[in-house]
Amino acid sequence: MSAKRIGEAVGDSLATRCLEAALVSHKLAHAYLLVGRDEDAKLALATALAKSGNCRGEHGLGEFCDMCPSCRQVDSGGSPNIRFFGDSGALNIDTVDQFISYASVKTASGCLKVSVFRGVDFFTDVAADRVLKTIEEPVPGNVFLLLSQNSRRVLSTIRSRAQIMKVERSVTMADPGDVSPAIGPDTSLEVLLDFARANVSLSETVGRLLRMRSQNSPRDNAMAGLQTLALFMNSVLRARGKVSPLACVSLSTEPELARVNFVLDQSRVGLFLDHLGERLKHVEQNVNPELVLTNALLELRRITTHE
Ligand SMILES: [Zn+2]
């Protein structure tokens, strides 16, 4: 029996890796705003998160077996640990009431309860106000996934309280019209490895990350860069044997990650991931992407050099 990771189930993307890192380090945010046009990808991601958070199988943290009663309940729609509200269209206010009553029920110990709210783009002020009260003071064990097609349409009160993640197709499933060379996780990890080994300067590293996908804007590249930082942190933990190796990272990269001079202090790792979430929000709010990336790399340097 082989366990699955979230990324394997729904296609590797920066969002899945970021969620895996947060799950493994027990640092899930209360609320995530999952943004993207592919509604199926967002729903599949939610399902995989509910499975990983509740699987009873024998395997590493953040993985799931797809066979135990808990995983099967998620697939059959009968799991108490995941519920979907709304659809991708206009919002019915009764749905908000159902969401609030589901989210206010305590979870069984050790369970992760995933509340998925679709169509967050269509929230009115009244609906947003009521939902916010619930997501700001969650009952422990709850995580809220708010699904949006376009984050610019989401009320700023919601945007500012959720960690924003772009859910995009993985590189291997990229648009066939896209002829630029595939940029796998190894490529972006190499940039961070060079930085961690002090082979490349801070400003050069920021430049490389901002130009990583030439067809994307610096802002999109900055968001991808921040999520790569989360992957980097997760990969170092895995390379140190704290959790099982990531399938998407090649064997040549793995030993290099194990050698990074790195303080494995849970509280610092947690803080670093928290800050990454804040920084993603800043880029989303149009703070200069170069500045945000620079600050994130400075924090990484402080951790890697024991300062
Ligand atoms: Zn399972």
Side-chain angles (χ1 to χ4, degrees), residues 1 51-52 54-59 63-72:
M1 180 184 90
K51 286 181 181 174
S52 313
N54 297 291
C55 182
R56 299 276 172 264
E58 292 280 324
H59 46 66
E63 297 177 330
F64 61 94
C65 70
D66 240 353
M67 289 150 78
C68 72
S70 170
C71 285
R72 284 202 290 216

